[in-house]
Amino acid sequence: MSWKLDSDRPIYTQLIEILKIEIVSGKLPPGSKFKSVRDLAMEAGVNPNTMQRAFAELEDLELLRTERTSGRFVTEDAELIGKTRDAIASAQFDLFAEKMEQLGFSKRELVDFVNKKVEVESDG
Amino acid sequence: MAEILSLDHLTKVYKGSDKPALDDITLTIGKGRIVGLLGPNGSGKTTLIKLINGLLTPTAGEIRVGGFAIGPESKAIVSYLPDRFCLPGDTSVKELIGFYRDFYSDFDTERAYGMLESLQIDPLSRIKTFSKGMKEKIQLILVMSRRAQLYVLDEPIAGVDPAARDYIIRTIIGNYQPDASVLLSTHLITDVENILDDVIFIKEGKVILSSPVEELRIAQGKSLDAYFREVFSC
């Protein structure tokens, strides 16, 4: 897992973003076991309370579930994982579209640009 | 009781000085928190830490650790890392572990050996044979191997390379008890800000800010380091 954290923003929201991407990309597969708060905090170099807070939010979102004796697991709800992935992708797209608009691209030009890029990449 | 440390109108004036090193400090530290004591050089960080450890006596005011006044009861629950290396060079690591085990009933010998092993340190080697960085790690291992209620670490990452700094930070995170607290002083804010729950800024012996770090980031929209530069700009 890559723990690039930016100290300008709250750490726990960044931890949530990173863990969500791990889940929706399948790097942490559905139903797989999560590391402990302390182990993951050590890996990320963050405070265990902060990691706990990120876990709690992922539990609220039901992306994580806790089993009292055996630990935490990634959800097996494929629909929820898909929806989460779409939401992250939409946010990324909006950022991209906004930047392109700043560069003077119309929606049409943006679509053409993307199509051209994708073709070039799949040819190469 | 939810706090491990409470300072009540704590003041320290060194003999021969007319300016207090610490000036009327009142604050508490909760259980299970990692707290950064941040301030420029000469702001009173080490003075405060020495007072908590009973190495100095207050001019006025009171300190309580776990409800105890400073004395044998408080020292039994505080594990202290001084700001300079202070282990005898002619003793072996094994002998040192023996000293710590004898002095502190909360010392976890197995944990200490486990950490030494992961650094491939031979317990029979004498302290003076190690590099400066390694000596600092050994001292930290001894301090973090106690199952204390309050760890007081004076500049634990000063003067070490980035890899050693990561090791030290991970050792701190990995070894304090979940209900214990850590008070660590530093002026290298960037290196520690991601592990802090709370921050205390001190300047010229006065507390000028005491706050949870994430709240500060949300309120200020900037890193602790950037905020520190703003507050202490000269």
Side-chain angles (χ1 to χ4, degrees):
Chain A
M1 232 171 278
S2 145
W3 298 105
K4 276 198 191 121
L5 298 167
D6 166 8
S7 303
D8 294 351
R9 295 195 299 131
I11 302 298
Y12 88 98
T13 53
Q14 298 179 62
L15 296 177
I16 292 167
E17 288 164 9
I18 292 170
L19 292 170
K20 270 187 180 171
I21 290 172
E22 294 286 314
I23 292 170
V24 302
S25 66
K27 280 185 193 147
L28 291 171
S32 62
K33 194 171 191 307
F34 243 58
K35 288 187 181 175
S36 71
V37 168
R38 171 89 49 140
D39 284 350
L40 219 46
M42 276 175 75
E43 205 181 291
V46 302
N47 186 302
N49 293 330
T50 312
M51 189 58 84
Q52 175 67 52
R53 197 170 160 190
F55 276 25
E57 177 127 351
L58 292 174
E59 279 170 2
D60 283 349
L61 297 169
E62 295 180 356
L63 287 166
L64 267 190
R65 79 189 139 78
T66 301
E67 282 177 16
R68 207 168 280 178
T69 48
S70 43
R72 286 189 185 76
F73 297 86
V74 177
T75 182
E76 287 169 55
D77 183 343
E79 198 189 325
L80 177 63
I81 293 176
K83 268 189 199 159
T84 309
R85 183 164 176 261
D86 285 351
I88 297 171
S90 290
Q92 286 298 322
F93 178 80
D94 291 347
L95 283 176
F96 168 66
E98 195 187 310
K99 282 263 191 280
M100 295 303 274
E101 202 186 320
Q102 282 172 11
L103 291 173
F105 278 74
S106 69
K107 287 216 166 64
R108 190 65 254 165
E109 284 172 318
L110 174 61
V111 172
D112 290 345
F113 183 80
V114 169
N115 278 334
K116 213 162 32 173
K117 274 289 188 194
V118 172
E119 272 164 34
V120 169
E121 269 168 34
S122 53
D123 288 347
Chain B
M1 191 184 49
E3 69 243 17
I4 182 66
L5 177 71
S6 65
L7 311 176
D8 187 23
H9 296 289
L10 184 66
T11 298
K12 175 68 185 178
V13 186
Y14 287 104
K15 237 177 235 167
S17 167
D18 50 356
K19 221 171 139 244
L22 288 179
D23 191 359
D24 196 30
I25 290 188
T26 297
L27 61 86
T28 58
I29 289 179
K31 286 185 180 174
R33 312 289 285 180
I34 303 183
V35 183
L37 180 62
L38 310 182
N41 295 324
S43 54
K45 300 189 296 285
T46 296
T47 298
L48 177 56
I49 283 174
K50 285 185 171 170
L51 285 163
I52 295 167
N53 286 288
L55 300 173
L56 292 171
T57 49
T59 309
E62 195 185 50
I63 309 172
R64 293 258 164 191
V65 180
F68 299 114
I70 300 305
E73 293 95 341
S74 77
K75 289 179 189 180
I77 57 173
V78 177
S79 192
Y80 168 48
L81 181 78
D83 65 345
R84 66 188 70 180
F85 186 78
C86 64
L87 299 174
D90 271 329
T91 45
S92 69
V93 176
K94 190 173 174 228
E95 284 173 299
L96 273 178
I97 288 184
F99 288 151
Y100 264 77
R101 196 180 45 214
D102 291 346
F103 272 110
Y104 301 109
S105 61
D106 60 1
F107 189 76
D108 185 339
T109 308
E110 211 172 296
R111 190 195 287 184
Y113 276 118
M115 284 194 262
L116 291 168
E117 205 177 306
S118 69
L119 288 177
Q120 292 165 329
I121 289 173
D122 174 8
L124 297 177
S125 302
R126 284 194 284 180
I127 291 296
K128 65 181 176 193
T129 64
F130 293 103
S131 69
K132 179 171 176 280
M134 200 54 108
K135 282 180 193 163
E136 290 189 359
K137 286 182 196 163
I138 293 170
Q139 185 162 259
L140 181 75
I141 286 173
L142 291 169
V143 168
M144 295 310 297
S145 291
R146 287 184 56 196
R147 294 182 182 274
Q149 292 176 34
L150 177 65
Y151 299 87
V152 179
L153 314 176
D154 198 355
E155 297 280 0
I157 53 165
V160 300
D161 63 67
R165 184 197 59 206
D166 283 355
Y167 174 82
I168 289 168
I169 286 176
R170 278 167 225 279
T171 302
I172 295 169
I173 299 171
N175 287 286
Y176 76 101
Q177 308 302 112
D179 58 344
S181 295
V182 179
L183 176 66
L184 66 91
S185 77
T186 187
H187 51 263
L188 304 169
I189 301 167
T190 316
D191 293 339
V192 298
E193 68 167 271
N194 290 355
I195 69 163
L196 301 179
D197 285 299
D198 304 305
V199 63
I200 298 167
F201 277 5
I202 65 171
K203 186 182 188 180
E204 291 167 8
K206 287 191 166 73
V207 172
I208 58 170
L209 173 84
S210 173
S211 164
V213 175
E214 292 275 66
E215 280 177 24
L216 199 68
R217 265 189 211 110
I218 294 166
Q220 301 288 333
K222 59 182 71 145
S223 70
L224 203 56
D225 185 58
Y227 187 61
F228 182 90
R229 283 165 205 265
E230 196 177 292
V231 170
F232 290 103
S233 66
C234 359

PDB file of all heavy atoms in Angstrom, chain A residues 63-94:
ATOM      1  N   LEU A  63     -18.102  -0.725   4.158  1.00  0.00           N
ATOM      2  CA  LEU A  63     -17.057  -1.307   3.320  1.00  0.00           C
ATOM      3  C   LEU A  63     -16.206  -2.286   4.128  1.00  0.00           C
ATOM      4  O   LEU A  63     -15.548  -3.155   3.583  1.00  0.00           O
ATOM      5  CB  LEU A  63     -16.164  -0.206   2.740  1.00  0.00           C
ATOM      6  CG  LEU A  63     -16.805   0.629   1.632  1.00  0.00           C
ATOM      7  CD1 LEU A  63     -15.999   1.886   1.361  1.00  0.00           C
ATOM      8  CD2 LEU A  63     -16.961  -0.196   0.350  1.00  0.00           C
ATOM      9  N   LEU A  64     -16.232  -2.102   5.428  1.00  0.00           N
ATOM     10  CA  LEU A  64     -15.529  -2.988   6.350  1.00  0.00           C
ATOM     11  C   LEU A  64     -16.550  -3.549   7.313  1.00  0.00           C
ATOM     12  O   LEU A  64     -17.491  -2.856   7.687  1.00  0.00           O
ATOM     13  CB  LEU A  64     -14.534  -2.186   7.193  1.00  0.00           C
ATOM     14  CG  LEU A  64     -13.100  -2.030   6.761  1.00  0.00           C
ATOM     15  CD1 LEU A  64     -12.307  -1.421   7.905  1.00  0.00           C
ATOM     16  CD2 LEU A  64     -12.521  -3.362   6.368  1.00  0.00           C
ATOM     17  N   ARG A  65     -16.341  -4.803   7.719  1.00  0.00           N
ATOM     18  CA  ARG A  65     -17.184  -5.290   8.814  1.00  0.00           C
ATOM     19  C   ARG A  65     -16.297  -5.946   9.866  1.00  0.00           C
ATOM     20  O   ARG A  65     -15.258  -6.535   9.543  1.00  0.00           O
ATOM     21  CB  ARG A  65     -18.272  -6.226   8.293  1.00  0.00           C
ATOM     22  CG  ARG A  65     -17.832  -7.611   8.011  1.00  0.00           C
ATOM     23  CD  ARG A  65     -18.899  -8.408   7.301  1.00  0.00           C
ATOM     24  NE  ARG A  65     -18.267  -9.211   6.261  1.00  0.00           N
ATOM     25  CZ  ARG A  65     -17.598 -10.344   6.519  1.00  0.00           C
ATOM     26  NH1 ARG A  65     -17.519 -10.824   7.737  1.00  0.00           N
ATOM     27  NH2 ARG A  65     -17.018 -11.010   5.543  1.00  0.00           N
ATOM     28  N   THR A  66     -16.721  -5.776  11.105  1.00  0.00           N
ATOM     29  CA  THR A  66     -15.941  -6.305  12.208  1.00  0.00           C
ATOM     30  C   THR A  66     -16.616  -7.542  12.754  1.00  0.00           C
ATOM     31  O   THR A  66     -17.823  -7.544  12.983  1.00  0.00           O
ATOM     32  CB  THR A  66     -15.830  -5.261  13.323  1.00  0.00           C
ATOM     33  OG1 THR A  66     -15.205  -4.110  12.774  1.00  0.00           O
ATOM     34  CG2 THR A  66     -14.982  -5.772  14.477  1.00  0.00           C
ATOM     35  N   GLU A  67     -15.846  -8.582  12.891  1.00  0.00           N
ATOM     36  CA  GLU A  67     -16.355  -9.769  13.577  1.00  0.00           C
ATOM     37  C   GLU A  67     -15.663  -9.825  14.917  1.00  0.00           C
ATOM     38  O   GLU A  67     -14.450  -9.736  14.995  1.00  0.00           O
ATOM     39  CB  GLU A  67     -16.085 -11.019  12.738  1.00  0.00           C
ATOM     40  CG  GLU A  67     -17.084 -11.108  11.611  1.00  0.00           C
ATOM     41  CD  GLU A  67     -16.850 -12.280  10.686  1.00  0.00           C
ATOM     42  OE1 GLU A  67     -16.107 -13.192  11.073  1.00  0.00           O
ATOM     43  OE2 GLU A  67     -17.408 -12.260   9.587  1.00  0.00           O
ATOM     44  N   ARG A  68     -16.479  -9.941  15.923  1.00  0.00           N
ATOM     45  CA  ARG A  68     -15.992  -9.703  17.276  1.00  0.00           C
ATOM     46  C   ARG A  68     -14.722 -10.464  17.617  1.00  0.00           C
ATOM     47  O   ARG A  68     -13.813  -9.928  18.205  1.00  0.00           O
ATOM     48  CB  ARG A  68     -17.085 -10.025  18.286  1.00  0.00           C
ATOM     49  CG  ARG A  68     -16.918  -9.233  19.567  1.00  0.00           C
ATOM     50  CD  ARG A  68     -18.136  -9.327  20.432  1.00  0.00           C
ATOM     51  NE  ARG A  68     -19.199  -8.430  19.995  1.00  0.00           N
ATOM     52  CZ  ARG A  68     -20.387  -8.378  20.588  1.00  0.00           C
ATOM     53  NH1 ARG A  68     -20.653  -9.167  21.603  1.00  0.00           N
ATOM     54  NH2 ARG A  68     -21.299  -7.538  20.177  1.00  0.00           N
ATOM     55  N   THR A  69     -14.644 -11.704  17.187  1.00  0.00           N
ATOM     56  CA  THR A  69     -13.476 -12.480  17.592  1.00  0.00           C
ATOM     57  C   THR A  69     -12.397 -12.560  16.522  1.00  0.00           C
ATOM     58  O   THR A  69     -11.220 -12.637  16.834  1.00  0.00           O
ATOM     59  CB  THR A  69     -13.889 -13.918  17.969  1.00  0.00           C
ATOM     60  OG1 THR A  69     -14.727 -14.407  16.923  1.00  0.00           O
ATOM     61  CG2 THR A  69     -14.625 -13.929  19.285  1.00  0.00           C
ATOM     62  N   SER A  70     -12.796 -12.502  15.251  1.00  0.00           N
ATOM     63  CA  SER A  70     -11.787 -12.823  14.243  1.00  0.00           C
ATOM     64  C   SER A  70     -11.197 -11.617  13.522  1.00  0.00           C
ATOM     65  O   SER A  70     -10.279 -11.768  12.729  1.00  0.00           O
ATOM     66  CB  SER A  70     -12.364 -13.810  13.226  1.00  0.00           C
ATOM     67  OG  SER A  70     -13.664 -13.437  12.869  1.00  0.00           O
ATOM     68  N   GLY A  71     -11.714 -10.408  13.770  1.00  0.00           N
ATOM     69  CA  GLY A  71     -11.086  -9.234  13.173  1.00  0.00           C
ATOM     70  C   GLY A  71     -11.964  -8.531  12.154  1.00  0.00           C
ATOM     71  O   GLY A  71     -13.178  -8.700  12.136  1.00  0.00           O
ATOM     72  N   ARG A  72     -11.307  -7.747  11.311  1.00  0.00           N
ATOM     73  CA  ARG A  72     -12.042  -6.942  10.318  1.00  0.00           C
ATOM     74  C   ARG A  72     -11.866  -7.505   8.921  1.00  0.00           C
ATOM     75  O   ARG A  72     -10.774  -7.925   8.556  1.00  0.00           O
ATOM     76  CB  ARG A  72     -11.514  -5.511  10.323  1.00  0.00           C
ATOM     77  CG  ARG A  72     -11.939  -4.707  11.502  1.00  0.00           C
ATOM     78  CD  ARG A  72     -11.546  -3.261  11.306  1.00  0.00           C
ATOM     79  NE  ARG A  72     -11.859  -2.494  12.498  1.00  0.00           N
ATOM     80  CZ  ARG A  72     -11.139  -2.538  13.601  1.00  0.00           C
ATOM     81  NH1 ARG A  72     -10.068  -3.300  13.660  1.00  0.00           N
ATOM     82  NH2 ARG A  72     -11.485  -1.814  14.648  1.00  0.00           N
ATOM     83  N   PHE A  73     -12.948  -7.424   8.141  1.00  0.00           N
ATOM     84  CA  PHE A  73     -12.926  -7.973   6.789  1.00  0.00           C
ATOM     85  C   PHE A  73     -13.495  -6.973   5.792  1.00  0.00           C
ATOM     86  O   PHE A  73     -14.393  -6.192   6.122  1.00  0.00           O
ATOM     87  CB  PHE A  73     -13.751  -9.270   6.738  1.00  0.00           C
ATOM     88  CG  PHE A  73     -13.194 -10.347   7.617  1.00  0.00           C
ATOM     89  CD1 PHE A  73     -13.549 -10.415   8.970  1.00  0.00           C
ATOM     90  CD2 PHE A  73     -12.282 -11.264   7.117  1.00  0.00           C
ATOM     91  CE1 PHE A  73     -13.012 -11.391   9.793  1.00  0.00           C
ATOM     92  CE2 PHE A  73     -11.742 -12.242   7.939  1.00  0.00           C
ATOM     93  CZ  PHE A  73     -12.111 -12.304   9.280  1.00  0.00           C
ATOM     94  N   VAL A  74     -12.995  -7.047   4.557  1.00  0.00           N
ATOM     95  CA  VAL A  74     -13.538  -6.244   3.461  1.00  0.00           C
ATOM     96  C   VAL A  74     -14.923  -6.797   3.122  1.00  0.00           C
ATOM     97  O   VAL A  74     -15.133  -8.010   3.141  1.00  0.00           O
ATOM     98  CB  VAL A  74     -12.625  -6.331   2.221  1.00  0.00           C
ATOM     99  CG1 VAL A  74     -13.227  -5.561   1.046  1.00  0.00           C
ATOM    100  CG2 VAL A  74     -11.234  -5.806   2.545  1.00  0.00           C
ATOM    101  N   THR A  75     -15.856  -5.895   2.820  1.00  0.00           N
ATOM    102  CA  THR A  75     -17.219  -6.324   2.483  1.00  0.00           C
ATOM    103  C   THR A  75     -17.216  -7.249   1.260  1.00  0.00           C
ATOM    104  O   THR A  75     -16.330  -7.180   0.417  1.00  0.00           O
ATOM    105  CB  THR A  75     -18.115  -5.105   2.188  1.00  0.00           C
ATOM    106  OG1 THR A  75     -19.426  -5.571   1.908  1.00  0.00           O
ATOM    107  CG2 THR A  75     -17.616  -4.323   0.976  1.00  0.00           C
ATOM    108  N   GLU A  76     -18.249  -8.106   1.185  1.00  0.00           N
ATOM    109  CA  GLU A  76     -18.386  -8.955   0.001  1.00  0.00           C
ATOM    110  C   GLU A  76     -19.510  -8.441  -0.893  1.00  0.00           C
ATOM    111  O   GLU A  76     -19.896  -9.094  -1.862  1.00  0.00           O
ATOM    112  CB  GLU A  76     -18.648 -10.404   0.442  1.00  0.00           C
ATOM    113  CG  GLU A  76     -17.375 -11.016   1.021  1.00  0.00           C
ATOM    114  CD  GLU A  76     -17.615 -12.347   1.712  1.00  0.00           C
ATOM    115  OE1 GLU A  76     -18.167 -13.239   1.055  1.00  0.00           O
ATOM    116  OE2 GLU A  76     -17.269 -12.460   2.896  1.00  0.00           O
ATOM    117  N   ASP A  77     -20.028  -7.259  -0.551  1.00  0.00           N
ATOM    118  CA  ASP A  77     -21.124  -6.656  -1.293  1.00  0.00           C
ATOM    119  C   ASP A  77     -20.586  -6.014  -2.580  1.00  0.00           C
ATOM    120  O   ASP A  77     -20.108  -4.879  -2.578  1.00  0.00           O
ATOM    121  CB  ASP A  77     -21.784  -5.601  -0.379  1.00  0.00           C
ATOM    122  CG  ASP A  77     -23.000  -4.958  -1.014  1.00  0.00           C
ATOM    123  OD1 ASP A  77     -23.156  -5.060  -2.245  1.00  0.00           O
ATOM    124  OD2 ASP A  77     -23.772  -4.334  -0.273  1.00  0.00           O
ATOM    125  N   ALA A  78     -20.681  -6.747  -3.674  1.00  0.00           N
ATOM    126  CA  ALA A  78     -20.096  -6.291  -4.949  1.00  0.00           C
ATOM    127  C   ALA A  78     -20.761  -5.003  -5.428  1.00  0.00           C
ATOM    128  O   ALA A  78     -20.108  -4.133  -6.019  1.00  0.00           O
ATOM    129  CB  ALA A  78     -20.229  -7.381  -6.008  1.00  0.00           C
ATOM    130  N   GLU A  79     -22.060  -4.869  -5.175  1.00  0.00           N
ATOM    131  CA  GLU A  79     -22.777  -3.679  -5.624  1.00  0.00           C
ATOM    132  C   GLU A  79     -22.236  -2.432  -4.904  1.00  0.00           C
ATOM    133  O   GLU A  79     -21.987  -1.394  -5.524  1.00  0.00           O
ATOM    134  CB  GLU A  79     -24.267  -3.863  -5.342  1.00  0.00           C
ATOM    135  CG  GLU A  79     -25.136  -2.921  -6.145  1.00  0.00           C
ATOM    136  CD  GLU A  79     -26.589  -2.967  -5.696  1.00  0.00           C
ATOM    137  OE1 GLU A  79     -27.061  -4.070  -5.314  1.00  0.00           O
ATOM    138  OE2 GLU A  79     -27.222  -1.900  -5.692  1.00  0.00           O
ATOM    139  N   LEU A  80     -22.040  -2.573  -3.599  1.00  0.00           N
ATOM    140  CA  LEU A  80     -21.519  -1.450  -2.809  1.00  0.00           C
ATOM    141  C   LEU A  80     -20.113  -1.074  -3.278  1.00  0.00           C
ATOM    142  O   LEU A  80     -19.781   0.104  -3.434  1.00  0.00           O
ATOM    143  CB  LEU A  80     -21.515  -1.821  -1.317  1.00  0.00           C
ATOM    144  CG  LEU A  80     -20.941  -0.768  -0.383  1.00  0.00           C
ATOM    145  CD1 LEU A  80     -21.773   0.504  -0.414  1.00  0.00           C
ATOM    146  CD2 LEU A  80     -20.839  -1.299   1.041  1.00  0.00           C
ATOM    147  N   ILE A  81     -19.304  -2.082  -3.524  1.00  0.00           N
ATOM    148  CA  ILE A  81     -17.940  -1.818  -4.005  1.00  0.00           C
ATOM    149  C   ILE A  81     -18.000  -1.096  -5.352  1.00  0.00           C
ATOM    150  O   ILE A  81     -17.292  -0.107  -5.577  1.00  0.00           O
ATOM    151  CB  ILE A  81     -17.124  -3.135  -4.113  1.00  0.00           C
ATOM    152  CG1 ILE A  81     -16.885  -3.708  -2.707  1.00  0.00           C
ATOM    153  CG2 ILE A  81     -15.786  -2.893  -4.821  1.00  0.00           C
ATOM    154  CD1 ILE A  81     -16.171  -5.047  -2.685  1.00  0.00           C
ATOM    155  N   GLY A  82     -18.890  -1.552  -6.223  1.00  0.00           N
ATOM    156  CA  GLY A  82     -19.054  -0.924  -7.537  1.00  0.00           C
ATOM    157  C   GLY A  82     -19.488   0.527  -7.429  1.00  0.00           C
ATOM    158  O   GLY A  82     -18.939   1.413  -8.094  1.00  0.00           O
ATOM    159  N   LYS A  83     -20.460   0.781  -6.550  1.00  0.00           N
ATOM    160  CA  LYS A  83     -20.955   2.149  -6.361  1.00  0.00           C
ATOM    161  C   LYS A  83     -19.848   3.058  -5.840  1.00  0.00           C
ATOM    162  O   LYS A  83     -19.704   4.198  -6.283  1.00  0.00           O
ATOM    163  CB  LYS A  83     -22.093   2.146  -5.319  1.00  0.00           C
ATOM    164  CG  LYS A  83     -23.478   2.006  -5.920  1.00  0.00           C
ATOM    165  CD  LYS A  83     -24.491   2.251  -4.819  1.00  0.00           C
ATOM    166  CE  LYS A  83     -25.855   1.702  -5.179  1.00  0.00           C
ATOM    167  NZ  LYS A  83     -26.687   1.495  -3.986  1.00  0.00           N
ATOM    168  N   THR A  84     -19.072   2.539  -4.888  1.00  0.00           N
ATOM    169  CA  THR A  84     -17.982   3.323  -4.318  1.00  0.00           C
ATOM    170  C   THR A  84     -16.957   3.658  -5.393  1.00  0.00           C
ATOM    171  O   THR A  84     -16.461   4.784  -5.480  1.00  0.00           O
ATOM    172  CB  THR A  84     -17.312   2.538  -3.170  1.00  0.00           C
ATOM    173  OG1 THR A  84     -18.328   2.090  -2.274  1.00  0.00           O
ATOM    174  CG2 THR A  84     -16.316   3.389  -2.417  1.00  0.00           C
ATOM    175  N   ARG A  85     -16.683   2.665  -6.229  1.00  0.00           N
ATOM    176  CA  ARG A  85     -15.720   2.858  -7.324  1.00  0.00           C
ATOM    177  C   ARG A  85     -16.220   3.941  -8.277  1.00  0.00           C
ATOM    178  O   ARG A  85     -15.466   4.839  -8.672  1.00  0.00           O
ATOM    179  CB  ARG A  85     -15.549   1.529  -8.051  1.00  0.00           C
ATOM    180  CG  ARG A  85     -14.527   1.542  -9.158  1.00  0.00           C
ATOM    181  CD  ARG A  85     -14.177   0.106  -9.531  1.00  0.00           C
ATOM    182  NE  ARG A  85     -13.276   0.054 -10.662  1.00  0.00           N
ATOM    183  CZ  ARG A  85     -13.679  -0.185 -11.908  1.00  0.00           C
ATOM    184  NH1 ARG A  85     -14.953  -0.376 -12.180  1.00  0.00           N
ATOM    185  NH2 ARG A  85     -12.794  -0.237 -12.893  1.00  0.00           N
ATOM    186  N   ASP A  86     -17.517   3.880  -8.613  1.00  0.00           N
ATOM    187  CA  ASP A  86     -18.102   4.886  -9.509  1.00  0.00           C
ATOM    188  C   ASP A  86     -17.989   6.294  -8.915  1.00  0.00           C
ATOM    189  O   ASP A  86     -17.680   7.242  -9.626  1.00  0.00           O
ATOM    190  CB  ASP A  86     -19.587   4.580  -9.769  1.00  0.00           C
ATOM    191  CG  ASP A  86     -19.742   3.414 -10.732  1.00  0.00           C
ATOM    192  OD1 ASP A  86     -18.720   2.979 -11.310  1.00  0.00           O
ATOM    193  OD2 ASP A  86     -20.879   2.924 -10.897  1.00  0.00           O
ATOM    194  N   ALA A  87     -18.245   6.376  -7.613  1.00  0.00           N
ATOM    195  CA  ALA A  87     -18.208   7.690  -6.964  1.00  0.00           C
ATOM    196  C   ALA A  87     -16.793   8.278  -7.024  1.00  0.00           C
ATOM    197  O   ALA A  87     -16.613   9.467  -7.316  1.00  0.00           O
ATOM    198  CB  ALA A  87     -18.680   7.572  -5.517  1.00  0.00           C
ATOM    199  N   ILE A  88     -15.790   7.428  -6.768  1.00  0.00           N
ATOM    200  CA  ILE A  88     -14.404   7.908  -6.815  1.00  0.00           C
ATOM    201  C   ILE A  88     -14.052   8.305  -8.250  1.00  0.00           C
ATOM    202  O   ILE A  88     -13.455   9.367  -8.495  1.00  0.00           O
ATOM    203  CB  ILE A  88     -13.422   6.833  -6.303  1.00  0.00           C
ATOM    204  CG1 ILE A  88     -13.704   6.504  -4.829  1.00  0.00           C
ATOM    205  CG2 ILE A  88     -11.968   7.295  -6.460  1.00  0.00           C
ATOM    206  CD1 ILE A  88     -12.931   5.308  -4.310  1.00  0.00           C
ATOM    207  N   ALA A  89     -14.466   7.470  -9.204  1.00  0.00           N
ATOM    208  CA  ALA A  89     -14.162   7.753 -10.607  1.00  0.00           C
ATOM    209  C   ALA A  89     -14.827   9.056 -11.050  1.00  0.00           C
ATOM    210  O   ALA A  89     -14.211   9.877 -11.742  1.00  0.00           O
ATOM    211  CB  ALA A  89     -14.621   6.589 -11.486  1.00  0.00           C
ATOM    212  N   SER A  90     -16.081   9.282 -10.626  1.00  0.00           N
ATOM    213  CA  SER A  90     -16.781  10.515 -10.995  1.00  0.00           C
ATOM    214  C   SER A  90     -16.048  11.738 -10.467  1.00  0.00           C
ATOM    215  O   SER A  90     -15.892  12.736 -11.184  1.00  0.00           O
ATOM    216  CB  SER A  90     -18.202  10.519 -10.424  1.00  0.00           C
ATOM    217  OG  SER A  90     -18.975   9.574 -11.096  1.00  0.00           O
ATOM    218  N   ALA A  91     -15.600  11.633  -9.217  1.00  0.00           N
ATOM    219  CA  ALA A  91     -14.892  12.763  -8.619  1.00  0.00           C
ATOM    220  C   ALA A  91     -13.605  13.051  -9.402  1.00  0.00           C
ATOM    221  O   ALA A  91     -13.261  14.208  -9.663  1.00  0.00           O
ATOM    222  CB  ALA A  91     -14.581  12.476  -7.156  1.00  0.00           C
ATOM    223  N   GLN A  92     -12.909  11.978  -9.779  1.00  0.00           N
ATOM    224  CA  GLN A  92     -11.676  12.150 -10.562  1.00  0.00           C
ATOM    225  C   GLN A  92     -11.983  12.777 -11.916  1.00  0.00           C
ATOM    226  O   GLN A  92     -11.264  13.655 -12.391  1.00  0.00           O
ATOM    227  CB  GLN A  92     -10.988  10.783 -10.781  1.00  0.00           C
ATOM    228  CG  GLN A  92     -10.296  10.234  -9.562  1.00  0.00           C
ATOM    229  CD  GLN A  92      -9.163  11.123  -9.085  1.00  0.00           C
ATOM    230  OE1 GLN A  92      -8.438  11.705  -9.882  1.00  0.00           O
ATOM    231  NE2 GLN A  92      -9.012  11.256  -7.785  1.00  0.00           N
ATOM    232  N   PHE A  93     -13.078  12.319 -12.525  1.00  0.00           N
ATOM    233  CA  PHE A  93     -13.459  12.855 -13.833  1.00  0.00           C
ATOM    234  C   PHE A  93     -13.773  14.345 -13.735  1.00  0.00           C
ATOM    235  O   PHE A  93     -13.357  15.136 -14.575  1.00  0.00           O
ATOM    236  CB  PHE A  93     -14.659  12.092 -14.405  1.00  0.00           C
ATOM    237  CG  PHE A  93     -15.096  12.664 -15.721  1.00  0.00           C
ATOM    238  CD1 PHE A  93     -14.414  12.348 -16.888  1.00  0.00           C
ATOM    239  CD2 PHE A  93     -16.149  13.567 -15.787  1.00  0.00           C
ATOM    240  CE1 PHE A  93     -14.782  12.904 -18.101  1.00  0.00           C
ATOM    241  CE2 PHE A  93     -16.523  14.136 -16.999  1.00  0.00           C
ATOM    242  CZ  PHE A  93     -15.840  13.803 -18.155  1.00  0.00           C
ATOM    243  N   ASP A  94     -14.531  14.717 -12.687  1.00  0.00           N
ATOM    244  CA  ASP A  94     -14.887  16.128 -12.520  1.00  0.00           C
ATOM    245  C   ASP A  94     -13.649  17.011 -12.426  1.00  0.00           C
ATOM    246  O   ASP A  94     -13.602  18.099 -13.011  1.00  0.00           O
ATOM    247  CB  ASP A  94     -15.765  16.317 -11.276  1.00  0.00           C
ATOM    248  CG  ASP A  94     -17.147  15.705 -11.465  1.00  0.00           C
ATOM    249  OD1 ASP A  94     -17.487  15.378 -12.630  1.00  0.00           O
ATOM    250  OD2 ASP A  94     -17.873  15.537 -10.471  1.00  0.00           O
TER     251      ASP A  94
END
